[in-house]
Amino acid sequence: MKRTPRFDKAWSESIAMLPAELQQPLVDAIKEYQTTGAEPTDLHPIAQCVFNLLRPTIDRRAKAASYRRRRREAKAEMQSAPATVEAGRLVKQDRKYIRLLAKRYNLIHRDIKAEIDRVSAMLTAQGVDRIPLFIYKEYLEHHLDGYTPSLT
């Protein structure tokens, strides 16, 4: 669930109103639930009632944190992806991949490299600034599936 538990001041004030023997097990149960997602099983009924009232807040915060984490990771992945033109250059330099395409599509290297330039231009025209290499290769292979070599 959450990496670092968050404990509100209002929660502390409310828990302080409980009898002393219920306070620490409830605090431990809340922190355990925030970090691992394990629900408490042996709480006193009053402490369990307080925990049940706090659980929706904890779950909502964990879900929001998960969304934020995914957005950050997706943004970092996209920023680390090379520019579209650079991706084309990197694919052109991958000799093993060019040989594989030459065998698979029965094309000469010059035609493959020309198609790489066309795919780069097409993606740039569509507004794709950065693209991971594996997605670029998928676009290229899809483009080559419909390619008919010129006889010149």
Side-chain angles (χ1 to χ4, degrees), residues 31-79:
K31 289 182 179 180
E32 180 71 21
Y33 184 70
Q34 285 181 330
T35 55
T36 65
E39 293 192 26
T41 56
D42 56 348
L43 281 180
H44 188 273
I46 295 173
Q48 183 68 43
C49 179
V50 173
F51 176 81
N52 289 342
L53 291 172
L54 297 177
R55 185 174 36 193
T57 303
I58 296 169
D59 291 343
R60 185 178 62 248
R61 288 177 180 171
K63 188 175 180 180
S66 173
Y67 287 143
R68 286 192 303 270
R69 192 176 311 112
R70 275 192 260 148
R71 281 195 305 269
R72 276 194 312 271
E73 289 169 357
K75 185 177 178 182
E77 181 181 316
M78 202 54 173
Q79 287 176 346

Side-chain angles (χ1 to χ4, degrees), residues 4-5 7 16 20 92 100 119 129 136 140 142 148 150 152:
T4 56
F7 211 83
K92 280 184 185 179
L100 175 87
V119 168
D129 296 338
Y136 187 94
L140 177 63
H142 180 69
T148 54
S150 60
T152 58

Side-chain angles (χ1 to χ4, degrees), residues 3-4 25-26 32 52 57 78 81 97 120-121 123 130 137-138:
R3 294 181 183 163
T4 56
L26 179 58
E32 180 71 21
N52 289 342
T57 303
M78 202 54 173
Y97 185 68
S120 294
L123 290 172
R130 297 184 168 279
K137 288 179 180 180
E138 287 178 16

